[in-house]
Amino acid sequence: SEDLSLFGVLTSYMHMIWVKYIGGKLKNDYRYSAQICYNTFPFPNMKPDQKDAIEAAVENILICREGYPEKTLAELYDPDEMPEDLAAAHAELDDLVESCYTGYPFTSEEDRLECLFKQYVKIKNDSNE
């Protein structure tokens, strides 16, 4: 469904990089607003097979999470304690989302951010024509 692919993109490394640089932080927490982070994020143009693969990856993440009913989300996503299967499921999702962007595969956070900014500028220019 649309919600699963949207969830996949919003929980991807690409989106989190955008949030990190565009939304900023308040103390140690990222600031997220619809106006600044969501509405400006250059969502990928997914082909049907890419969308299906992202949805399957999200389903895999949700299944992995269900395997740890005793853990809170904070515990599951603690960088030092994250279960290997959940980390692998997120790595797969990140790769699938990134494959929808020009410039894939990326070698650094800077490469990802440059791609996002280029796409953002293109979207803004196209909307002003």
Side-chain angles (χ1 to χ4, degrees):
S1 78
E2 188 68 34
D3 293 341
L4 281 183
S5 63
L6 177 62
F7 177 79
V9 173
L10 293 177
T11 58
S12 72
Y13 185 50
M14 286 295 273
H15 186 66
M16 293 313 300
I17 288 171
W18 188 255
V19 170
K20 177 180 175 181
Y21 287 94
I22 300 303
K25 286 188 172 186
L26 186 61
K27 295 188 180 182
N28 290 331
D29 299 325
Y30 290 113
R31 297 182 326 165
Y32 194 99
S33 75
Q35 284 297 104
I36 295 172
C37 296
Y38 181 83
N39 290 345
T40 63
F41 181 70
F43 281 87
N45 294 320
M46 293 180 264
K47 296 175 185 156
D49 61 325
Q50 290 173 314
K51 186 175 186 253
D52 292 345
I54 288 170
E55 289 174 357
V58 169
E59 288 173 356
N60 187 34
I61 287 170
L62 297 174
I63 290 167
C64 287
R65 286 182 183 181
E66 288 175 5
Y68 304 93
E70 73 286 356
K71 292 188 181 278
T72 65
L73 283 175
E75 291 169 334
L76 280 175
Y77 287 93
D78 178 328
D80 299 324
E81 302 292 326
M82 188 178 203
E84 287 184 27
D85 61 340
L86 184 58
H90 273 283
E92 177 187 6
L93 173 66
D94 290 338
D95 190 60
L96 289 167
V97 170
E98 290 178 13
S99 73
C100 298
Y101 286 94
T102 303
Y104 172 82
F106 301 102
T107 58
S108 67
E109 189 171 288
E110 291 76 22
D111 286 348
R112 291 170 178 88
L113 193 60
E114 181 180 349
C115 165
L116 291 171
F117 276 123
K118 282 180 180 175
Q119 188 165 336
Y120 173 78
V121 168
K122 183 181 182 327
I123 291 166
K124 289 299 284 179
N125 289 340
D126 290 349
S127 70
N128 290 333
E129 291 179 357

